[in-house]
């Protein structure tokens, strides 16, 4: 007994004590809002979305070409021809030029690049939504796991209290010579085992709190969760209708993946088509050179600016790489078919998950009244057997069996309440709806 108390004290010593005012108090809805607002995975997804938006903008701008360049230079040197006198020469150049290009036709490559970039931006946005949904699911699962440990601890504590009452009866009978000492020892061993289990459950509760605190990026070691797991089964589960889950962002992502694959096919086909580009160029500059000597022929006035401008059409058509284009188109079409196949598989998986979640929730709700009745009967049976044992009309084994049956039923009841809460949230989540839409849990 002393060892158990020391172990429990050690566990409590690992958990820093804080005042009630410092302990965060959260409802399920508040926890889900916070996990979306504070988790670094959400920030990373938002940055990826911004990068994709810039890429989509660049796809529109890259079809135009516009450059402005400037150059200038000067050099001087000495030249010595064979058999002649050496002479010095210098030259200077400068210029500024602006060049612009506008594609008139590119075989659909430009439109395909823009459509692909737009689809990529949409996919990045939906990836952010999916990241938030994944964190949301992790948060409500962690939330209800904590409540589950709390319920299991309450159930274990009730069983422990009843075991202590039974031990007092057994000790009284042993002192009166009506029970064997082995019965007292066996009951104490059972009590220590329950105390050890309670210590382990409190340790698991602490770890579950840490997981939720990590998801929510909250400081400290403790949380107060205000929502309670449902005490009753609630309403029956409606049948899953055809098209349930169409609100899932995965379906929108599938459409964008398909659009990007189709754009890749069009981009590959453009390799076999000509392109026409209208270009214009204008510049100002000059160049001067001459001999340097007693009477130089190189004067600064020679560097007066001269303006020139030009415009024209450029047609290009690669007719000798059609095999490569054919292979590129074939691979792009296969990739598009691969997207379609993956999309069908994902749709079937989502539909199956929704049906399984609805069936699981319905099963739990059907079990709930049976488990509640079992807990009530097990509690009554334990009290009856305990009274009979005190009167000498029941054996110690009858008492141990009644205690074990009550603890099992009580734990099962606590587990079922949490399973109901998680199953209700799972169904709403799988349908693409707010997990708290299953209604406030009472």
């Amino acid at each position: 007994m002393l060892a158990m108390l020391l172990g429990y004290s050690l566990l409590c010593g690992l958990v820093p004590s804080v005042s009630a005012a410092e302990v965060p108090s959260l409802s399920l809805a508040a926890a889900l809002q916070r996990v979306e607002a504070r988790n670094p995975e959400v920030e990373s997804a938002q940055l990826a979305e911004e990068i994709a938006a810039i890429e989509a903008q660049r796809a529109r701008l890259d079809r135009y070409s516009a450059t402005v360049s400037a150059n200038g230079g000067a050099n001087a040197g000495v030249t010595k021809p064979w058999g002649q006198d050496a002479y010095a020469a210098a030259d200077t150049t400068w210029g500024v030029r602006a060049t612009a290009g506008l594609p008139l036709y590119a075989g659909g490559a430009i439109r395909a690049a823009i459509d692909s970039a737009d689809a990529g931006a949409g996919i990045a946005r939906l990836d952010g939504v999916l990241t938030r949904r994944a964190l949301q699911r992790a948060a409500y699962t962690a939330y209800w796991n904590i409540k589950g440990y709390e319920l299991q601890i309450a159930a274990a504590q009730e069983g422990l209290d009843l075991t202590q009452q039974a031990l007092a009866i057994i000790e009284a009978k042993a002192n009166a010579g009506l029970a064997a000492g082995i019965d007292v020892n066996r009951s104490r061993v059972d009590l220590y085992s329950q105390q050890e289990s309670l210590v382990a459950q409190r340790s698991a509760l602490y770890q579950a709190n840490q997981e939720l605190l990590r998801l929510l990026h909250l400081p400290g070691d403790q949380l107060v969760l205000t929502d309670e797991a449902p005490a009753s089964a609630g309403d029956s589960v409606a049948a899953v209708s055809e098209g349930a889950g169409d609100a899932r962002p995965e379906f929108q992502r599938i459409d964008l993946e398909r659009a990007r694959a189709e754009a890749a096919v069009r981009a590959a086909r453009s390799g076999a088509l000509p392109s026409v580009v209208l270009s214009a160029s204008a510049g100002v500059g000059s160049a001067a050179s001459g001999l340097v000597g007693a009477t130089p022929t190189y004067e600064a006035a020679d560097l007066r600016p001269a303006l020139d401008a030009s415009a024209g059409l450029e047609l290009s058509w690669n007719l000798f790489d059609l095999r490569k284009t054919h292979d590129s188109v074939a691979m792009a079409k296969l990739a598009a078919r691969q997207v379609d196949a993956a999309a069908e598989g994902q749709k079937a998986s989502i539909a199956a998950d929704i049906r399984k979640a609805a069936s699981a929730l319905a099963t739990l709700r059907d079990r709930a009244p049976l488990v509640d009745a079992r807990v009530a009967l097990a509690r009554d049976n334990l009290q009856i057997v305990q009274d009979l044992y005190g009167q000498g009309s029941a054996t110690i084994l009858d008492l141990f069996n009644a205690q074990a049956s009550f603890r099992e039923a009580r734990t099962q009841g606590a587990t079922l309440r949490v399973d109901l809460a998680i199953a209700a949230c799972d169904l709403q989540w799988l349908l693409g709806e707010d997990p708290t839409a299953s209604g406030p849990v009472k």
Side-chain angles (χ1 to χ4, degrees), residues 132-399:
R132 289 189 289 274
R133 277 176 49 81
L135 290 169
Q136 195 179 58
R137 192 175 198 183
Y140 75 67
T141 301
Y143 190 101
W144 290 125
N145 281 338
I146 291 173
K147 301 305 292 187
Y149 284 121
E150 290 177 353
L151 288 172
Q152 290 177 15
I153 288 172
Q157 187 63 59
E158 183 180 0
L160 183 61
D161 293 341
L162 292 174
T163 300
Q164 288 174 330
Q165 294 176 15
L167 177 58
I169 296 173
I170 296 171
E171 288 175 337
K173 291 188 66 174
N175 292 334
L178 301 176
I182 188 63
D183 293 343
V184 177
N185 290 341
R186 293 173 64 183
S187 183
R188 285 177 178 169
V189 168
D190 185 39
L191 180 66
Y192 295 159
S193 176
Q194 292 180 50
Q195 288 174 332
E196 182 183 6
S197 176
L198 190 58
V199 170
Q201 287 174 332
R202 285 185 171 134
S203 175
L205 173 61
Y206 178 78
Q207 298 300 326
N209 269 288
Q210 291 304 301
E211 174 62 18
L212 185 55
L213 286 166
R214 182 191 66 81
L215 286 170
L216 303 181
H217 274 252
L218 282 170
D221 295 90
Q222 300 178 34
L223 276 172
V224 174
L225 307 183
T226 58
D227 288 356
E228 296 295 337
S232 60
D235 299 330
S236 60
V237 182
V240 177
S241 61
E242 187 68 26
D246 287 347
R248 290 277 293 270
E250 286 90 342
F251 291 117
Q252 301 174 44
R253 195 182 191 284
I254 287 171
D255 293 337
L256 290 173
E257 286 281 8
R258 186 178 288 113
R260 187 161 65 175
E262 292 172 354
V265 173
R266 287 186 280 123
R269 284 174 176 163
S270 68
L273 299 174
S275 64
V276 180
V277 178
L278 172 64
S279 62
S281 176
V284 60
S286 184
S289 62
L291 299 178
V292 180
T295 56
T297 60
Y298 171 52
E299 299 180 0
D302 294 339
L303 294 175
R304 286 176 297 184
L307 176 67
D308 70 277
S310 63
L313 289 175
E314 179 182 347
L315 170 66
S316 60
W317 195 354
N318 189 351
L319 296 176
F320 302 98
D321 204 10
L322 296 182
R323 183 63 193 179
K324 181 179 179 180
T325 302
H326 175 272
D327 292 341
S328 297
V329 172
M331 288 189 294
K333 286 182 176 180
L334 291 173
R337 288 174 57 188
Q338 188 178 32
V339 169
D340 289 337
E344 291 302 317
Q346 189 171 18
K347 286 181 177 180
S349 177
I350 289 174
D353 288 342
I354 291 173
R355 290 193 298 268
K356 287 190 292 186
S359 175
L361 180 56
T363 300
L364 288 170
R365 286 180 171 170
D366 289 342
R367 286 181 55 207
L370 303 176
V371 173
D372 291 342
R374 180 185 173 189
V375 172
L377 285 174
R379 183 181 284 109
D380 291 342
N381 288 342
L382 176 57
Q383 190 62 52
I384 292 171
V385 172
Q386 188 169 296
D387 293 341
L388 290 175
Y389 178 78
Q391 299 168 9
S393 300
T395 66
I396 189 67
L397 292 179
D398 294 333
L399 180 58

